[in-house]
């Protein structure tokens, strides 16, 4: 699929990377245009206007078009850090956590705010090694360096390149152990 | 509340070990069984608490030096049991050695079992990581 992307300078690099990772080719002459709300619309072709404040709807819409499955890289999320957006690969994330109404992704050195809910991430990316370890935490198994048996049947997880330790609560410990076929 | 329950169970287990370890010696030495059993249980609770804290501390702070965790548990049991027995009035050296050996066997067996469980968990983790890695590539 080829699209013409029209957006502001601060959004352009992230969106460009995001769309290209989904196998979408960006071409100014394409007959389909993705335009950020508020910018001038092209006169010809199909125009899709998106609101940068509602990225989740936009991403879901893009994902609904399985443009080039063979070229598409899975496990890509869009994270918000301060005022900007960044493409995050799930394989870079150590764990996701919910705090208040927000969900965050924690990589080795950064923390991003996400639009997705924890259960959505769990459902969609379990095949990439995401596992729920407590009500508010979802960890990337690939990023775990060590499991420490804790008291009362709980487990403590230590991550590669991160000082944080996450506890697997007793309610989730059984499922977690089954996941690693213990 | 759950954590308090777990803590109570842990203290109770330590107390039980303390009582069991000292009981044969108390019977042989014909001391006041009830009083000494309670006292031994209290010493057991104290040793269990200290050994547990030391094991956690070294396991977390120096994960590469697992021997440190074992050494800390061994030392605390040896010193704690020896001192406890001495405070309770057990001055016979052979009895003292017997109590320390019994306490070491129980304490270190528990520590070895925990450590083996940790090794198995981490082996399974590596296998799972390899499996997911292969499935992705």
């Amino acid at each position: 699929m080829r699209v013409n992307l029209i957006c502001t300078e601060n959004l352009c690099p992230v969106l460009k990377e995001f769309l290209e990772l989904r196998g979408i080719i960006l071409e100014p002459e394409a007959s389909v245009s993705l335009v950020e709300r508020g910018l001038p619309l092209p006169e010809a072709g199909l125009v899709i206007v998106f609101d940068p404040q509602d990225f989740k709807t936009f991403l879901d819409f893009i994902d609904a078009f399985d443009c080039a499955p063979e070229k598409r890289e899975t496990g890509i999320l869009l994270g918000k850090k301060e005022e900007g957006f960044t493409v995050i690969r799930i394989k870079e994330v150590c764990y996701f956590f919910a705090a208040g109404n927000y969900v965050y992704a924690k990589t080795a050195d950064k923390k991003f705010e996400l639009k997705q809910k924890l259960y959505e991430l769990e459902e969609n990316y379990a095949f990439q090694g995401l596992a729920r370890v407590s009500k508010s935490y979802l960890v990337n198994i690939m990023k775990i360096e060590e499991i420490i048996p804790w008291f009362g049947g709980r487990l403590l997880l230590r991550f590669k390149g991160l000082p944080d330790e996450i506890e697997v609560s007793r309610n989730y410990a059984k499922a977690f152990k089954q996941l690693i076929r213990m | 509340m759950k954590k308090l329950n777990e803590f109570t169970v842990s203290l109770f287990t330590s107390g039980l070990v303390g009582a069991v370890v000292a009981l044969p010696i108390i019977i042989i030495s014909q001391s006041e069984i009830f009083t000494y059993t309670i006292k031994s249980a209290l010493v057991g609770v104290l040793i269990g608490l200290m050994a547990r804290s030391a094991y956690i501390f070294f396991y977390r702070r120096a994960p590469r030096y697992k021997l440190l965790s074992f050494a800390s548990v061994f030392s605390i049991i040896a010193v704690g049991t020896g001192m406890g027995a001495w405070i309770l009035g057990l001055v016979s050296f052979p009895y003292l050695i017997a109590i320390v050996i019994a306490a070491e066997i129980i304490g270190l067996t528990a520590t070895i079992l925990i450590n083996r469980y940790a090794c198995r968990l981490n082996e399974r983790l590596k296998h799972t990581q390899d499996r997911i890695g292969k499935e992705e590539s």
Side-chain angles (χ1 to χ4, degrees), chain A residues 146-156 177 182, chain B residues 10 13-14 17 48 51-60 66 69-70 72-73 77 105-123:
Chain A
E146 191 184 15
I147 305 173
I148 302 169
W150 215 230
F151 298 93
R154 288 166 293 159
L155 304 167
L156 204 66
K177 282 191 266 184
M182 179 75 180
Chain B
S10 162
T13 313
S14 304
V17 170
R52 171 189 148 130
S53 307
Y55 183 77
I56 293 170
F57 179 81
F58 286 112
Y59 201 106
R60 288 178 82 172
K66 301 271 191 256
S69 311
F70 279 97
S72 65
V73 171
I77 291 174
I105 289 170
I106 295 172
L108 289 180
T109 305
T111 314
I112 287 167
L113 288 176
I114 292 169
N115 200 56
R116 275 184 63 185
Y117 175 57
C119 289
R120 274 185 56 215
L121 269 176
N122 285 292
E123 271 172 27

Side-chain angles (χ1 to χ4, degrees), chain A:
Chain A
M1 188 183 183
R2 290 163 197 276
V3 298
N4 171 26
L5 178 67
I6 300 171
C7 60
T8 48
E9 268 181 31
N10 60 332
L11 265 185
C12 240
V14 176
L15 273 183
K16 199 176 160 197
E17 188 185 355
F18 186 81
L19 294 169
E20 283 172 350
L21 285 168
R22 276 162 166 70
I24 295 170
I25 300 159
L26 300 177
E27 255 182 25
E29 292 81 26
S31 55
V32 178
S33 299
L34 293 174
V35 185
E36 186 181 336
R37 189 182 296 281
L39 295 181
L41 307 177
E43 288 175 0
L46 171 68
V47 178
I48 299 163
V49 179
F50 66 90
D51 187 346
Q53 296 303 314
D54 189 11
F55 252 125
K56 190 176 180 303
T57 311
F58 175 66
L59 302 182
D60 290 345
F61 174 78
I62 297 295
D63 280 340
F65 292 95
D66 215 356
C67 308
E70 70 286 351
K71 288 183 186 172
R72 182 173 164 175
E73 188 180 332
T74 51
I76 303 291
L77 300 168
L78 212 54
K80 191 178 172 189
K81 187 162 172 61
E82 288 150 13
E83 290 308 305
F85 288 90
T86 312
V87 171
I88 314 166
R89 286 165 177 82
I90 284 182
K91 57 186 173 190
E92 291 168 0
V93 179
C94 293
Y95 62 86
F96 298 90
F97 66 100
N101 292 325
Y102 300 98
V103 169
Y104 300 93
K106 186 86 166 74
T107 63
D109 53 356
K110 286 181 184 127
K111 188 175 100 173
F112 301 95
E113 187 188 316
L114 300 176
K115 285 285 179 188
Q116 286 88 346
K117 304 282 179 206
L118 274 189
Y119 73 87
E120 291 174 336
L121 293 165
E122 188 183 4
E123 282 171 7
N124 296 332
Y125 301 106
F127 72 98
Q128 289 204 318
L130 296 193
R132 185 66 82 98
V133 293
S134 69
K135 209 174 151 189
S136 323
Y137 282 87
L138 187 65
V139 300
N140 183 354
I141 287 184
M142 300 300 281
K143 286 285 184 183
I144 300 173
E145 186 174 39
E146 191 184 15
I147 305 173
I148 302 169
W150 215 230
F151 298 93
R154 288 166 293 159
L155 304 167
L156 204 66
L157 307 177
R158 191 176 274 154
F159 295 88
K160 293 168 187 167
L162 200 67
D164 308 19
E165 289 175 333
I166 304 292
E167 189 181 291
V168 182
S169 74
R170 206 154 59 159
N171 293 340
Y172 289 88
K174 195 178 170 191
F176 182 81
K177 282 191 266 184
Q178 278 173 351
L179 190 69
I180 61 168
R181 296 181 183 171
M182 179 75 180

Side-chain angles (χ1 to χ4, degrees), chain B residues 18-37 40 90 95 99:
Chain B
V20 166
V21 162
L23 201 55
I25 310 297
I26 293 167
I27 293 168
I28 293 166
S29 61
Q30 293 177 330
S31 310
E32 286 174 52
I33 293 176
F34 182 75
T35 318
Y36 277 88
T37 306
S40 308
L90 189 71
Y95 285 173
I99 286 181

